[in-house]
Amino acid sequence: MKMLSLFLDQIQRVRDRQKDKKISSVEKSSEIKNRPLTAVNPLDLSNYLKQHDLSVEQFINDPNFQERIIGRNDLLNVHYLRKGAKAAQSVCRIHITSDVGPAGFGTGFLIAPQILLTNHHVLPTTEWARYSSAEFNYEENETGAVLRTSQYRFDADKLFYTNEVLDFTIVWVDHNDRQGVALLQQFGFLPLRSDLGKIKEGDYVSIIQHADGSPKQVVLRENSVTDLSLTQFVRYVADTKSGSSGAPVFNDDWEVVALHHAGVPRYNTAGQILNLAGTVWDSAEGEMQINWQENEGVRVSSIIHDIRSHAIKQFSFLAEFFAPLSDLSIIEKESGTQPVELTDELYYPQADDEEDKKRYYREVGDVGKADYNRLQRLLESSHTNPLSYQPSKYVYPKVDIYPDGLLRSIYSGKSFTIEELQLADQRIDIERKLRFIEWSKKAGTMNREDYRSELKTIEKALPYNCEHVVCQSWFDAREPMRGDLHHLFACEPRCNSFRNNHPYYDFEGYKPIPSQMEKEMATCGYMEDDQFEPENNKGIVARATLYFLLRYPNAISVYKDDDIVLLKRWATEQAVTLYEKHRNREIFLLQGNRNPFIDFPELIDSIDFQVSEKILAAVPHTAREVKSRNLAADVKRAVLMRYGYANPDPSVVEDTKAMTDFEFSDNQYLMLTASFNDIAVRYRAKPRKITVSEVQACGSIKDCIDLVYAAIA
């Protein structure tokens, strides 16, 4: 109902239904009728109604008013305005001041008695808070006159906590104003609710703010939420200005859903900010010339979780308003985060897991006597819910947490909050998209395999904060191996990159420093001659790797007999931890299968992993035949996928098929070479590097197979 034509049409319909009025359609005032179809001026609308003998009540309360609802019901009870006016009382203008004088204005609001919330960039330090102040009641009455205001000092010594990443600050406000007349309690406060679901995409939001430091203003509804995909932030289309930072963002029930903190500008494909003219913005133009696309606020649930997890440790009295949670079912409703510390019963319910374990291995019988094949069939058949590779969704929020609610890098032992890694991965996603856009502009046309290959290259250059202990390149990043949670662990990119795709090794003379000991920097491990020894958690990664070798026979050919002996030794030297038991149970609940080497550590010595040529000689094919058969299929598949086939069957293609039949471009040959080198790595840790010219010289698929096989010989 915000377009003038809709109002005019509705007015005519209401008048037509007024039995005591005689009207004619030609009576419409040309003064308003002939205006451009823009937003309606309320005063003009009121005058127009009076000209046609209609009251506002008749227009709004017409029984058939609903027939003019467009798309969704925008009607609200009148108490919406009363609740909004009450919510506005707790919003104040912040006088930002430093030791050298005034520095601008911001907005803030009370979230508990004497506790104010605003942005970090409004009040970044205790020094700024000591010089600044909060001014309440700075607004106009019905006649346009500014009300009498009250200014309150901040007591940063009593409470000051800030989070630069989430861009919020909470600070204590004096109870009495500077004149000692007005009490702060008269302005009430806006309690924060941590549960999700208060807003969804497409919903309207309202913002009460001191834009440009002016008297209090409100942006009412018609400001829709555009993006809820970010874990810690919400985006919406709304009108804000300088000075709006720190304003509360409300839903239709006047619940605070976010803390407004920034505008989101439009970018070109190179990631540069655009101005209103559509060209690249220069900082000299000022913020008013930025082409703002939407606004962004910090989710209330993220703020509350950070207060409960960190601020409460420094200021214990905050527990009165933001008590830590211990009920896991409640926690799961909050951004997928966990409390500061969980009890053993909540973190790992041992009795329940024992019952699940009995049921899971029932068909195996005596697990201690089970052989490789029986366990392999169980792991494969029970893997009923293969998951995609999404660590922010599956690994960080629940599977990989420690009892204290934190994540720890599998190699360095460095700790992270769940939100830290989720936010870091979100930034990686953005960077990946920008790089792919830039590449696609240069590449021009591309087929499906070009797309997949470039995506792999970008993902390798910009890894998530997650480690595959069995490297993706060894199995060509195929599913379900890629998303199998049993071998995925939190790991910062520097350690991820340092390990690269090198197999595990135990270096004589290298003595890792336990993560519990103090050291200048968290160390990832030691790497030499394309081999890697982790700094921490050797037993954990060993059990995860042995699970992979059991679950996916012949999927990789990197580890040989000596390597298996090493992995078994690591697994035996480090006992199964509570953290692993928790992981094993959570993964079982998510994807259906378990790691038997966590459930029954004694299996480490009894299971024969069938990797040596001596053992393989006893089965129908020799080791060389098995290796040749698998390698040939991988090479054929790579050629077919490069040519554009999705999920090709390599068995239907003859080895002698001429490579010229595929008509590869130079770019495709380059990518095919990369695929062949990846295949070679799966069969040998340090293969000879295959060159583009060698691939271009292949006259048939058989030539390609021989080329890759020669690289690993």
Side-chain angles (χ1 to χ4, degrees):
M1 297 296 295
K2 71 177 183 179
M3 299 304 292
L4 184 56
S5 60
L6 297 180
F7 275 105
L8 292 175
D9 191 14
Q10 173 63 18
I11 291 170
Q12 186 63 40
R13 286 167 178 264
V14 175
R15 293 189 65 222
D16 288 343
R17 286 190 285 271
Q18 298 296 314
K19 295 180 180 179
D20 58 339
K21 307 289 181 186
K22 285 189 176 182
I23 50 89
S24 168
S25 60
V26 298
E27 288 180 325
K28 293 182 181 178
S29 169
S30 60
E31 178 185 354
I32 186 171
K33 176 184 175 184
N34 295 328
R35 287 187 181 180
L37 299 184
T38 58
V40 177
N41 183 312
L43 182 60
D44 285 348
L45 177 60
S46 176
N47 292 335
Y48 185 79
L49 290 170
K50 290 177 182 178
Q51 292 173 14
H52 293 84
D53 301 318
L54 285 174
S55 67
V56 174
E57 289 75 14
Q58 286 175 314
F59 175 59
I60 297 297
N61 297 320
D62 181 74
N64 293 309
F65 184 78
Q66 292 272 349
E67 70 184 62
R68 296 301 298 157
I69 292 173
I70 307 298
R72 60 182 290 175
N73 190 342
D74 288 343
L75 300 179
L76 295 170
N77 194 297
V78 70
H79 69 62
Y80 168 80
L81 298 176
R82 296 193 186 99
K83 291 171 71 174
K86 183 178 180 181
Q89 293 177 350
S90 304
V91 180
C92 67
R93 178 173 71 160
I94 295 179
H95 292 253
I96 306 172
T97 310
S98 70
D99 56 351
V100 297
F105 297 98
T107 302
F109 56 101
L110 295 168
I111 58 173
Q114 295 186 257
I115 299 177
L116 181 137
L117 173 66
T118 187
N119 289 136
H120 165 85
H121 70 265
V122 172
L123 294 178
T125 65
T126 54
E127 287 71 22
W128 282 85
R130 289 190 178 100
Y131 289 104
S132 302
S133 62
E135 182 180 19
F136 287 85
N137 228 28
Y138 183 52
E139 56 190 89
E140 298 176 352
N141 62 17
E142 295 82 353
T143 65
V146 177
L147 302 178
R148 180 177 178 178
T149 66
S150 301
Q151 284 199 37
Y152 298 82
R153 294 185 177 89
F154 297 123
D155 187 347
D157 295 326
K158 172 74 173 178
L159 169 65
F160 184 90
Y161 175 82
T162 190
N163 183 318
E164 184 175 2
V165 174
L166 289 178
D167 194 17
F168 82 87
T169 292
I170 54 174
V171 63
W172 193 263
V173 186
D174 285 347
H175 186 57
N176 296 302
D177 70 351
R178 285 183 166 178
Q179 287 72 40
V181 177
L183 300 180
L184 185 68
Q185 65 186 29
Q186 66 179 298
F187 301 109
F189 62 90
L190 300 170
L192 303 184
R193 286 179 46 209
S194 60
D195 56 303
L196 300 178
K198 297 186 292 294
I199 200 74
K200 60 180 183 293
E201 289 185 9
D203 280 0
Y204 294 141
V205 292
S206 300
I207 305 175
I208 298 177
Q209 58 193 306
H210 285 280
D212 290 330
S214 62
K216 195 177 297 175
Q217 299 174 332
V218 59
V219 179
L220 280 177
R221 307 186 85 244
E222 287 301 316
N223 314 290
S224 59
V225 175
T226 58
D227 190 353
L228 283 174
S229 63
L230 302 178
T231 306
Q232 297 171 305
F233 303 95
V234 57
R235 289 183 175 177
Y236 40 86
V237 178
D239 293 326
T240 58
K241 293 183 177 181
S242 175
S244 301
S245 294
V249 182
F250 299 94
N251 62 13
D252 276 349
D253 290 325
W254 290 102
E255 297 173 309
V256 182
V257 297
L259 170 70
H260 174 73
H261 83 127
V264 180
R266 293 189 184 277
Y267 293 89
N268 61 17
T269 55
Q272 297 169 302
I273 297 174
L274 298 177
N275 60 22
L276 295 175
T279 58
V280 176
W281 174 77
D282 187 278
S283 58
E285 301 176 58
E287 290 189 4
M288 294 301 293
Q289 290 301 310
I290 293 177
N291 187 350
W292 295 108
Q293 179 178 1
E294 52 193 356
N295 282 294
E296 183 177 87
V298 187
R299 287 178 184 256
V300 163
S301 54
S302 296
I303 293 173
I304 293 180
H305 176 73
D306 189 72
I307 293 174
R308 285 174 174 159
S309 301
H310 303 289
I312 207 169
K313 295 179 181 179
Q314 301 178 38
F315 306 96
S316 58
F317 63 84
L318 290 173
E320 181 181 349
F321 311 104
F322 306 99
L325 296 176
S326 59
D327 189 321
L328 196 59
S329 64
I330 297 176
I331 296 159
E332 290 171 346
K333 297 177 181 178
E334 294 189 32
S335 306
T337 56
Q338 302 292 335
V340 177
E341 190 166 353
L342 295 173
T343 63
D344 288 347
E345 291 75 16
L346 286 174
Y347 180 70
Y348 173 65
Q350 183 171 353
D352 291 343
D353 196 41
E354 286 295 331
E355 291 300 318
D356 289 336
K357 189 163 65 172
K358 288 178 183 178
R359 286 191 291 269
Y360 181 76
Y361 294 102
R362 183 176 299 161
E363 66 180 69
V364 175
D366 187 347
V367 180
K369 296 180 179 179
D371 61 13
Y372 180 100
N373 291 326
R374 291 178 67 187
L375 283 175
Q376 193 282 324
R377 287 194 297 268
L378 173 63
L379 266 57
E380 183 174 355
S381 63
S382 60
H383 194 171
T384 54
N385 186 34
L387 302 171
S388 58
Y389 177 49
Q390 299 182 68
S392 284
K393 183 175 182 179
Y394 299 117
V395 180
Y396 311 147
K398 195 171 185 180
V399 165
D400 214 38
I401 61 169
Y402 279 74
D404 59 3
L406 295 175
L407 300 167
R408 284 178 175 75
S409 171
I410 188 64
Y411 298 139
S412 71
K414 182 179 179 181
S415 62
F416 301 90
T417 64
I418 296 165
E419 293 86 349
E420 279 182 278
L421 294 197
Q422 287 178 326
L423 182 60
D425 280 9
Q426 289 166 10
R427 290 170 176 163
I428 289 169
D429 279 331
I430 293 171
E431 181 63 26
R432 285 180 175 182
K433 290 175 182 177
L434 290 173
R435 288 203 187 182
F436 186 79
I437 290 171
E438 188 63 28
W439 173 82
S440 60
K441 286 170 59 180
K442 296 177 181 177
T445 59
M446 71 183 101
N447 59 29
R448 184 189 298 270
E449 185 56 25
D450 290 339
Y451 168 85
R452 289 177 176 172
S453 180
E454 182 60 26
L455 205 57
K456 285 182 181 179
T457 302
I458 293 173
E459 288 176 353
K460 186 176 181 179
L462 296 166
Y464 286 140
N465 288 262
C466 187
E467 165 73 341
H468 290 77
V469 299
V470 178
C471 302
Q472 296 187 69
S473 61
W474 297 349
F475 53 86
D476 199 26
R478 296 194 304 270
E479 300 292 359
M481 291 87 87
R482 187 174 189 237
D484 192 326
L485 297 173
H486 282 294
H487 77 124
L488 302 185
F489 295 85
C491 179
E492 69 270 44
R494 69 180 182 87
C495 287
N496 197 325
S497 300
F498 182 73
R499 188 257 171 118
N500 202 343
N501 61 355
H502 305 318
Y504 294 129
Y505 190 75
D506 207 338
F507 291 96
E508 186 177 355
Y510 174 60
K511 302 297 181 184
I513 303 173
S515 59
Q516 301 95 312
M517 297 181 62
E518 291 188 8
K519 45 190 174 181
E520 292 184 6
M521 179 180 176
T523 306
C524 305
Y526 184 80
M527 190 270 293
E528 183 180 330
D529 294 332
D530 294 338
Q531 293 171 315
F532 172 75
E533 181 175 350
E535 183 78 5
N536 296 285
N537 300 316
K538 293 180 184 178
I540 294 175
V541 300
R543 278 182 282 271
T545 304
L546 293 173
Y547 156 85
F548 188 98
L549 295 174
L550 179 61
R551 167 65 181 88
Y552 305 104
N554 298 322
I556 63 172
S557 301
V558 175
Y559 290 120
K560 307 303 179 187
D561 277 350
D562 290 345
D563 302 310
I564 300 301
V565 171
L566 171 65
L567 293 172
K568 286 185 173 183
R569 177 165 63 80
W570 282 0
T572 303
E573 289 175 347
Q574 180 183 5
V576 173
T577 63
L578 180 65
Y579 158 72
E580 286 177 278
K581 292 180 179 179
H582 159 82
R583 274 182 52 94
N584 199 27
R585 173 174 171 77
E586 296 302 331
I587 295 171
F588 163 68
L589 296 175
L590 283 170
Q591 68 181 40
N593 64 355
R594 304 178 68 99
N595 184 339
F597 303 112
I598 294 174
D599 289 330
F600 302 97
E602 62 272 18
L603 287 172
I604 295 293
D605 294 323
S606 63
I607 294 297
D608 193 334
F609 286 88
Q610 305 180 3
V611 294
S612 72
E613 294 196 10
K614 181 184 296 185
I615 294 173
L616 283 174
V619 298
H621 299 282
T622 66
R624 177 173 289 273
E625 288 171 343
V626 171
K627 182 181 290 185
S628 298
R629 186 181 68 240
N630 293 339
L631 184 146
D634 287 343
V635 171
K636 290 180 186 179
R637 187 181 293 107
V639 173
L640 292 172
M641 291 181 69
R642 174 60 52 204
Y643 192 60
Y645 289 96
N647 300 317
D649 182 359
S651 64
V652 301
V653 181
E654 296 293 333
D655 294 351
T656 55
K657 185 172 179 62
M659 293 296 290
T660 53
D661 294 347
F662 294 108
E663 299 179 355
F664 289 128
S665 66
D666 290 341
N667 193 40
Q668 286 174 312
Y669 270 117
L670 182 65
M671 294 180 180
L672 191 59
T673 303
S675 297
F676 287 171
N677 279 306
D678 284 342
I679 292 171
V681 169
R682 294 206 300 272
Y683 290 87
R684 184 169 183 175
K686 289 183 63 177
R688 179 183 65 79
K689 206 73 172 176
I690 299 170
T691 66
V692 178
S693 59
E694 288 177 314
V695 177
Q696 290 175 329
C698 291
S700 67
I701 292 182
K702 184 179 184 303
D703 291 340
C704 292
I705 295 171
D706 292 342
L707 174 63
V708 178
Y709 198 82
I712 67 170

